[in-house]
Amino acid sequence: MRISDIVDIEKFPVDQIDSGRGFEFAEECKRRYQETGLCMLPGFVVEKALDVLRRESEGYIGDAYFCDNTHNAYLTDDADADNDEVSRRQEKTFVGSVPYDKIPSDTALNTLYQWDPLKDFIGYVLGKESFHRFADPFGACSVNVFVDGGVHGWHFDESEFTVTLMLQAPEQGGEFEYVPQIRGLKDEKKIIGNVLDGQREGVVTLPFTPGTLLIFGGRQTLHRVTRIKGSRPRLVPVLCFAEEAGKQNSDSVRKLFWGRENPNDELKEAS
Ligand SMILES: [Fe+2]
């Protein structure tokens, strides 16, 4: 598939950030990201390509590794956690991920991920001088799969930003909820405690519109995915980038999310 059959370049001129309309568009996206911690582009991927991407992703679901675990909001080990009530509280996460080495190079998803103008546009929005595709054999570009019962508990991401594509919504649940840019506030722990208690003040729900590209600053913003119900999986490709060339995940992150440390390893049992 050609990139012009995947991305609505007319509406989103991400390949022209150096001139005229493309520059204005990129500036507007950058401003939105700085002000709100996210930039959402509904309709970025055209309807026809969504069908292709969905079919491709359904073909890889059998290759997803499922992580079923609990964690605190900071994703820190108990031993490293601040000794306070909020940092000790555990949230549940049950999510699958199809690793990059199971996604063929000639797929629509890989065509999108390998498209340099997209990388350069995202780097511009994030204000990065240097910007590269991630070099991790599993985590460079993966597909998050939430099946019936799937859930991602409240947390801040380890990485500064995440780029995702909303591909398929489940029948029920699977809402992306967030509390914008609360990290570092004086009453951060109090806010987190209230949210973990189920209070809804400050909680925003992002609509799941298939075809939306989302650039999200997940280190500053508390977020979760609510429990999924029904047989249709929630599918969200994750496109990873880094300021440094050649950047990869640690072995422990690889083992946690994909059950392997290296591409040739046998799958390890999920914990
Ligand atoms: Fe996250």
Side-chain angles (χ1 to χ4, degrees):
M1 247 183 143
R2 287 174 311 173
I3 197 72
S4 57
D5 295 327
I6 300 172
V7 174
D8 188 343
I9 298 176
E10 187 54 41
K11 192 167 167 202
F12 304 100
V14 294
D15 57 339
Q16 297 162 44
I17 60 172
D18 292 329
S19 65
R21 201 166 72 85
F23 175 73
E24 276 168 34
F25 171 68
E27 279 292 302
E28 168 63 20
C29 290
K30 187 180 197 169
R31 192 185 57 77
R32 259 189 275 162
Y33 182 80
Q34 281 171 350
E35 282 174 8
T36 65
L38 62 89
C39 171
M40 187 168 66
L41 304 177
F44 187 79
V45 167
V46 301
E47 197 59 44
K48 235 168 138 183
L50 279 179
D51 289 339
V52 176
L53 283 157
R54 268 190 222 111
R55 270 202 306 277
E56 281 178 358
S57 290
E58 266 156 18
Y60 331 126
I61 288 176
D63 290 317
Y65 177 81
F66 284 85
C67 153
D68 190 354
N69 229 322
T70 60
H71 52 82
N72 68 9
Y74 297 96
L75 304 181
T76 45
D77 287 340
D78 286 350
D80 302 334
D82 292 346
N83 195 20
D84 60 65
E85 198 264 334
V86 161
S87 303
R88 282 195 297 268
R89 289 177 65 171
Q90 296 288 304
E91 287 279 290
K92 183 179 164 58
T93 286
F94 171 45
V95 60
S97 178
V98 180
Y100 190 50
D101 67 342
K102 299 291 183 190
I103 299 174
S105 57
D106 59 352
T107 52
L109 180 55
N110 227 329
T111 303
L112 182 66
Y113 182 55
Q114 294 293 336
W115 189 42
D116 282 339
L118 178 64
K119 166 179 74 66
D120 295 342
F121 166 75
I122 294 166
Y124 187 86
V125 171
L126 294 168
K128 305 296 183 196
E129 299 265 308
S130 142
F131 206 60
H132 304 270
R133 275 181 287 275
F134 212 48
D136 194 84
F138 307 140
C141 176
S142 56
V143 180
N144 271 358
V145 180
F146 290 81
V147 295
D148 193 18
V151 63
H152 202 159
W154 286 111
H155 67 285
F156 296 103
D157 289 338
E158 238 177 293
S159 54
E160 178 193 336
F161 58 87
T162 316
V163 180
T164 51
L165 175 67
M166 296 180 193
L167 186 55
Q168 178 169 277
E171 279 143 8
Q172 262 188 69
E175 305 280 4
F176 185 87
E177 295 183 340
Y178 64 105
V179 189
Q181 296 176 304
I182 59 163
R183 193 111 185 226
L185 295 183
K186 216 165 67 239
D187 51 354
E188 171 187 325
K189 302 264 173 171
K190 188 164 174 275
I191 298 170
I192 297 171
N194 289 343
V195 172
L196 296 181
D197 284 341
Q199 290 188 29
R200 303 294 294 168
E201 197 189 332
V203 176
V204 185
T205 301
L206 204 68
F208 193 116
T209 312
T212 302
L213 187 83
L214 176 69
I215 307 172
F216 176 69
R219 199 194 283 161
Q220 300 302 320
T221 287
L222 188 70
H223 57 284
R224 74 162 173 180
V225 176
T226 63
R227 190 174 296 277
I228 273 81
K229 283 194 195 120
S231 57
R232 186 170 65 221
R234 180 186 192 271
L235 298 174
V236 177
V238 182
L239 287 64
C240 275
F241 302 89
E243 283 171 80
E244 276 166 62
K247 190 115 166 75
Q248 302 199 359
N249 284 125
S250 63
D251 286 349
S252 59
V253 166
R254 287 187 187 175
K255 231 194 296 183
L256 176 66
F257 288 111
W258 299 289
R260 290 178 290 162
E261 288 176 10
N262 292 295
N264 297 325
D265 290 354
E266 292 288 316
L267 265 182
K268 301 199 170 56
E269 283 300 305
S271 56

